[in-house]
Amino acid sequence: MVEEPSRPPPLIEQDYNSVAPLLQLMSKQQTWVFLFVSVYMFLLFLSWNLFKFVISWYEFQLVTSSSSWWPALYTSVLLGAAFGRC
């Protein structure tokens, strides 16, 4: 008879053992609340900075541009695209 060589544990068991602590952490409600609040605050931070940038660009264009209608149109389109409702 031919003896089969011993095989290491299946890959699935090895993968589960390496991610078990992460799965345990992600099963807690506090983790999901923390992730939700963190992502929401990050998006709020980005949108606020975009808003401030567009407004400061508009104010700069008012000072430097002789024609004042196109910066207002451009600014309203940018703000409407970023913060408007579809």
Side-chain angles (χ1 to χ4, degrees):
M1 286 184 130
V2 176
E3 194 174 311
E4 291 185 25
S6 63
R7 290 186 276 168
L11 207 53
I12 294 174
E13 289 179 24
Q14 289 176 353
D15 287 343
Y16 179 75
N17 290 336
S18 65
V19 296
L22 180 64
L23 291 175
Q24 186 178 9
L25 179 66
M26 296 304 285
S27 67
K28 297 183 179 183
Q29 183 180 4
Q30 296 162 343
T31 303
W32 288 105
V33 169
F34 173 75
L35 284 174
F36 176 79
V37 170
S38 299
V39 169
Y40 188 79
M41 289 190 60
F42 179 70
L43 291 174
L44 188 62
F45 173 76
L46 288 179
S47 63
W48 179 250
N49 282 337
L50 176 67
F51 177 75
K52 287 192 318 185
F53 174 75
V54 170
I55 294 300
S56 67
W57 176 85
Y58 174 68
E59 290 172 348
F60 176 75
Q61 291 300 320
L62 284 179
V63 172
T64 60
S65 178
S66 61
S67 172
S68 63
W69 66 271
W70 76 269
L73 177 66
Y74 192 72
T75 302
S76 68
V77 168
L78 278 176
L79 291 177
F83 303 106
R85 296 179 190 237
C86 294

